[in-house]
Amino acid sequence: MQEQRVIYLLQQRLSGNETAAEQEELYTLLEDDGNMEILMAALTDLMWQAPADTATPDTAARTALLQSITGADLTTPFVETAQPMKTVYRFWWAAAVVAGLLFATGLYFLFRPVASVKPTPALAQRYKNDIAPGGNKAMLTLADGSRIVLDEAKNDTLGKQGSTSIIKLQNGQVLYHATGATTPVTYNTLSTPRGGQYQLTLPDGTRVWLNAASSLHFPTAFTGSNRTVELTGEGYFEVAPLSGKPFLVKANGADITVLGTHFNIMAYTNESALAVTLLEGAVNVGRNGTIKKLLPGQQARISNNNNITVTGADVQEAVAWKNGFFIFDRADITTVMRQLERWYDIEVVYEGTPPQMRFGGGMQRSLPLSGILKILEKNGVLFKIEGRKITVLRS
């Protein structure tokens, strides 16, 4: 009964016929985390009921509607490109309502590939257990090789490395506070496991967010002519400006050089390319003597043959993980599942050839794995959970 009420309120919002009382009722429901499951069901039902439409969405109209729903500053255009796998879109206006409301609630699914419906094994038979999402987990390795499990440590000063104090803050953050005294430089490493993430403030004030299965190797004080760190996996950087001392990130043989800027580096070795996405400022991306300069809103991709390609970027997609979301833009099933593998610390196997479909939209990273898979199953793909092994079933 309550789900039908939520659907009604969403439809009233969509049509523009909602009363002030209905608007207040809807947002009261959105503010209560206890309604998330009902809201998810209502949203997916609303999308499922919308008639299919293969026409390209009107960018200006979609943006205007999203802004009227959310008041959001939407600067990234919605662009369609030819795809080898056919994707059929639901009415874009229904997607816009879902997306707009879920900027507030934390889950949205912009479009979905349509697959034939056939009888499926009962959910209880396929989902033997559930898996919790990842969280703030990391290991700090000090210069002498000793290790601190940060998710188990208390919020306090953890120790000193030379003249730099290491302080654990709340909400998965660790701060390196340099006193300015000259001492021998030592190196520490912050590493996150699969299913972990962490935030670090370096001695110069630069802030770094590490995604799951990532590490950052860095000095406990920046005393030379530059500030050099080494990244594996994925990290988002907000570099503190420091005149005359550029900041350099080394990742998989690439060098990313900046003076003060915000950017994301995705350097997982099991992905097809290393990607550097620039949000603010300017960076130089180099490998094997080739250097490309990025401007805000651009992305450099370095493939296995070392070619550097610069294109316009979907910035929100690139940094979605930092903001607590998965966002996909025409991603194939293997790309989606690799992200789930890292965040939920699972093993994914395929029963036969991976389904030929593409996904677009997003979901909260705070959802349990079953919640994510149930949403994906609306698109005709089925899963089986057994312990930490996830099987993508044959279509």
Side-chain angles (χ1 to χ4, degrees):
M1 184 69 180
Q2 190 171 2
E3 181 181 336
Q4 293 303 314
R5 180 62 179 173
V6 172
I7 292 176
Y8 167 78
L9 293 172
L10 292 173
Q11 290 172 330
Q12 287 292 93
R13 176 96 180 188
L14 170 64
S15 66
N17 294 324
E18 66 177 349
T19 65
E22 288 170 340
Q23 183 184 73
E24 183 177 355
E25 181 183 355
L26 177 58
Y27 276 92
T28 298
L29 289 169
L30 295 178
E31 290 170 358
D32 185 351
D33 290 341
N35 293 324
M36 178 58 70
E37 186 173 347
I38 294 174
L39 182 62
M40 285 171 53
L43 288 166
T44 50
D45 284 348
L46 184 62
M47 283 296 292
W48 190 259
Q49 293 165 12
D53 183 10
T54 57
T56 300
D58 181 279
T59 303
R62 173 185 178 275
T63 301
L65 181 55
L66 277 170
Q67 288 176 325
S68 72
I69 295 169
T70 67
D73 178 18
L74 302 172
T75 57
T76 303
F78 186 81
V79 180
E80 297 302 331
T81 58
Q83 296 293 331
M85 297 181 231
K86 181 175 177 61
T87 302
V88 179
Y89 300 95
R90 293 290 169 184
F91 265 144
W92 69 267
W93 49 261
V97 168
V98 173
L101 290 171
L102 288 176
F103 274 107
T105 64
L107 176 153
Y108 67 91
F109 211 74
L110 294 180
F111 52 83
R112 54 174 300 278
V114 175
S116 58
V117 178
K118 61 182 181 180
T120 61
L123 200 64
Q125 296 176 9
R126 293 185 288 109
Y127 289 18
K128 304 296 185 183
N129 56 276
D130 205 352
I131 298 174
N136 295 322
K137 305 173 188 175
M139 178 80 73
L140 182 63
T141 303
L142 305 181
D144 63 0
S146 60
R147 296 182 175 185
I148 301 174
V149 180
L150 291 176
D151 37 303
E152 297 177 358
K154 295 182 179 179
N155 295 338
D156 201 350
T157 299
L158 301 178
K160 295 193 71 173
Q161 294 284 272
S163 61
T164 301
S165 297
I166 307 171
I167 305 168
K168 183 188 176 185
L169 307 175
Q170 60 182 357
N171 299 325
Q173 302 177 52
V174 64
L175 167 70
Y176 276 63
H177 178 67
T179 63
T182 302
T183 59
V185 176
T186 58
Y187 285 82
N188 289 182
T189 301
L190 181 68
S191 56
T192 57
R194 287 174 26 139
Q197 63 181 9
Y198 224 79
Q199 183 179 334
L200 166 69
T201 301
L202 294 171
D204 65 340
T206 292
R207 300 171 69 194
V208 185
W209 286 255
L210 283 185
N211 202 351
S214 303
S215 70
L216 189 75
H217 185 65
F218 56 93
T220 56
F222 293 110
T223 59
S225 60
N226 59 38
R227 297 170 285 168
T228 301
V229 300
E230 298 179 21
L231 173 75
T232 67
E234 185 167 19
Y236 173 81
F237 295 78
E238 292 185 353
V239 177
L242 192 56
S243 180
K245 188 173 284 193
F247 193 94
L248 174 65
V249 183
K250 293 182 174 293
N252 285 1
D255 295 333
I256 299 90
T257 307
V258 304
L259 290 174
T261 187
H262 298 183
F263 61 98
N264 191 82
I265 302 174
M266 191 281 292
Y268 290 113
T269 56
N270 65 344
E271 297 292 347
S272 60
L274 181 153
V276 180
T277 307
L278 182 64
L279 283 74
E280 296 181 15
V283 301
N284 290 330
V285 179
R287 178 182 273 183
N288 291 349
T290 301
I291 298 177
K292 296 290 182 75
K293 183 177 182 178
L294 293 187
L295 299 176
Q298 290 185 328
Q299 181 180 87
R301 294 182 65 84
I302 305 177
S303 60
N304 292 332
N305 61 11
N306 291 324
N307 288 336
I308 304 178
T309 304
V310 177
T311 62
D314 184 338
V315 172
Q316 296 305 316
E317 179 185 3
V319 300
W321 66 269
K322 168 186 169 287
N323 299 322
F325 294 91
F326 297 107
I327 292 183
F328 304 110
D329 183 6
R330 302 166 190 85
D332 59 31
I333 186 69
T334 58
T335 298
V336 172
M337 299 311 293
R338 281 197 301 271
Q339 287 204 32
L340 298 187
E341 278 186 314
R342 290 191 286 263
W343 184 237
Y344 290 93
D345 188 16
I346 56 176
E347 175 194 2
V348 175
V349 297
Y350 296 87
E351 188 180 74
T353 303
Q356 297 296 296
M357 55 176 52
R358 292 190 179 272
F359 298 87
M363 297 163 285
Q364 270 190 324
R365 282 170 39 124
S366 61
L367 292 172
L369 181 60
S370 64
I372 298 289
L373 299 184
K374 286 175 184 177
I375 294 170
L376 296 178
E377 287 198 353
K378 290 288 186 179
N379 300 274
V381 60
L382 296 178
F383 303 92
K384 182 169 64 175
I385 304 176
E386 294 177 302
R388 305 199 81 84
K389 180 179 178 180
I390 311 304
T391 302
V392 182
L393 300 177
R394 192 186 305 274
S395 300

